[in-house]
Amino acid sequence: MSKLWGGRFSQSPEEWVDEFNASIDFDQQLVMEDLEGSVAHVTMLGECGILTKKETDEIIHGLSVLKEKAADGKLPFSVQNEDIHLNLEHFLIQEIGQVGGKLHTGRSRNDQVATDMHLYLKRRVLEIQELIRSVQSAILKQAGEHVETIAPGYTHLQRAQPVSFAHHLMAYFWMLERDYGRFEDSMKRIDVSPLGAGALAGTTFPINRQRSAELLGFSSIYENSMDAVSDRDFIIEFLANASMTIMHLSRFAEEMIIWSSQEFQFIEMADAFSTGSSIMPQKKNPDMAELVRGKTGRVFGNLFSLLTVLKGLPLAYNKDMQEDKEGMFDTVHTLMGSLKIFAGMIDTMKVKTERLSQAVNEDFSNATELADYLAAKGLPFREAHEVVGKLVLTCIQQNIYLKDLSLKDMQEASSLIDEEVFTVLEPSEAVKRRESEGGTGFSQVRNQIEKAKTILEA
């Protein structure tokens, strides 16, 4: 089979060279974007008088037929035609004859593929944002049910202070809200049309780039044709945003894995998001959470791969840039799958409130409350810190907790302590009193939840 670009060449490449050169195995995912870009381009060519009305109508009809075949999976893509663009042009010529060869007038594969990827990411980013919202909705549902469920808060993975479990969950809501905003902002760079930039220098045909951009729903065009065909910043930005999002999911996954362990028993994962062992009958493994945690590596890798590909490339297009697509596709599929899994995991997880209550009543996470109590009575905080530290040491030596100390024992440490201290040491009281804006106090957590609901409703 002769190449569509083969006029210059007297010898065809060997089959294994074709296979190495071809990208059709993965860029066929751009089939609909490529066809839509072609329809817009041909429509513009017709309106500009570059193609006759008859030619325009014939080509658009042929492209419509290819769209139907593509939707039905009836296009036999071939590595001999290298990529999605040459495959579709080959099919078009087969469908409507040599007039199909006029499809490529006034454009290059360089601006064509860039247009396809802008269209692809524009759609996928919107879908990813919807999936982020679904995870946030699941978080909000669980948070609404557990405002007054008290859980140990941690720093360094050591018990720190008691918190509302809803407060802990809502931290992830706000992480995802930043992720949503980053994707939103990235649309300014994605929603730009390179179509009509040609190979690198534009074209001598009197095309109307603004019109083709309008037909494709782009808000603007690239101002420089060389930049238009060589820019992959918008993909790098997407990969960076995706890396941030899946990093947040991985952190949450790690906590869910820990919480569901026998040692913690704070939550139980639904059977639908767990698996068993082939040898140990008792096992219930949090495999879906572990997979999300593990998939961060491939998403991060895709980002660094493209950064490395582009770092030394001269302008404008180079074949190296064929390596921009597989990582982009993989990241889209990986992130979307992870978000879908996460929404289900959070929505169906069972929070073990009794176990959480036991946990916060059997630790020293109320030590800061006692220090604050003494400071509020006039003792300098550093001195209060030392007094409480010594009381904690006494408790550790006696294998008891602060609430188990007698009033006499406490007053020996500081005469400022009175009966009120036992109320102060209650975990629920410790949480309720933290009413600083953004704190874990119950009313503050409810304020957060209301603000979050407003965001989702908007």
Side-chain angles (χ1 to χ4, degrees), residues 415-442:
S415 60
L416 295 173
I417 297 175
D418 58 27
E419 285 279 358
E420 184 190 5
V421 73
F422 293 105
T423 300
V424 170
L425 290 175
E426 282 295 321
S428 59
E429 194 67 24
V431 174
K432 183 165 54 175
R433 292 170 60 242
R434 289 193 132 62
E435 286 298 314
S436 58
E437 193 168 2
T440 191
F442 300 144

Side-chain angles (χ1 to χ4, degrees), residues 338-357:
S338 297
L339 287 164
K340 287 176 185 176
I341 286 288
F342 236 91
M345 283 197 306
I346 297 167
D347 187 59
T348 58
M349 77 175 182
K350 177 184 176 184
V351 180
K352 297 185 176 182
T353 54
E354 290 183 11
R355 170 60 187 145
L356 286 168
S357 177

Side-chain angles (χ1 to χ4, degrees), residues 44-222:
M44 178 273 295
L45 291 177
E47 290 176 356
C48 292
I50 298 168
L51 296 180
T52 66
K53 184 178 186 308
K54 182 173 182 297
E55 290 169 334
T56 302
D57 291 344
E58 285 181 15
I59 295 173
I60 289 176
H61 170 72
L63 292 170
S64 299
V65 172
L66 294 186
K67 267 191 180 183
E68 292 176 10
K69 289 185 175 181
D72 294 336
K74 294 181 178 178
L75 292 179
F77 298 114
S78 165
V79 295
Q80 277 71 42
N81 284 319
E82 296 180 20
D83 56 32
I84 189 63
H85 324 296
L86 294 186
N87 267 273
L88 289 175
E89 189 173 347
H90 172 75
F91 293 142
L92 183 65
I93 292 169
Q94 283 187 328
E95 193 69 40
I96 64 173
Q98 290 307 308
V99 68
K102 294 193 174 187
L103 170 67
H104 213 51
T105 305
R107 73 174 181 184
S108 161
R109 281 188 292 174
N110 296 356
D111 60 330
Q112 191 177 353
V113 69
T115 302
D116 290 356
M117 289 189 292
H118 277 272
L119 286 171
Y120 176 86
L121 271 190
K122 187 175 175 182
R123 288 166 183 166
R124 299 295 92 79
V125 164
L126 292 174
E127 292 170 7
I128 286 167
Q129 286 182 297
E130 287 181 14
L131 290 170
I132 288 173
R133 287 290 188 238
S134 70
V135 178
Q136 289 178 301
S137 295
I139 290 171
L140 209 51
K141 174 192 165 190
Q142 288 281 7
E145 295 172 2
H146 292 287
V147 172
E148 296 192 19
T149 299
I150 313 301
Y154 293 81
T155 64
H156 309 276
L157 206 54
Q158 303 294 315
R159 298 278 180 91
Q161 292 176 277
V163 296
S164 159
F165 190 63
H167 189 59
H168 194 134
L169 294 176
M170 288 300 294
Y172 288 103
F173 180 96
W174 300 112
M175 288 183 209
L176 289 166
E177 185 59 23
R178 293 193 295 274
D179 295 327
Y180 187 97
R182 276 183 280 268
F183 282 116
E184 185 79 16
D185 187 65
S186 74
M187 288 296 275
K188 298 173 191 173
R189 269 77 64 187
I190 295 171
D191 194 21
V192 185
S193 175
L195 191 57
L200 78 160
T203 178
T204 57
F205 290 97
I207 63 172
N208 185 340
R209 289 188 61 209
Q210 295 285 357
R211 176 58 177 152
S212 59
E214 179 187 359
L215 289 167
L216 289 170
F218 286 117
S219 61
S220 61
I221 65 171
Y222 277 89

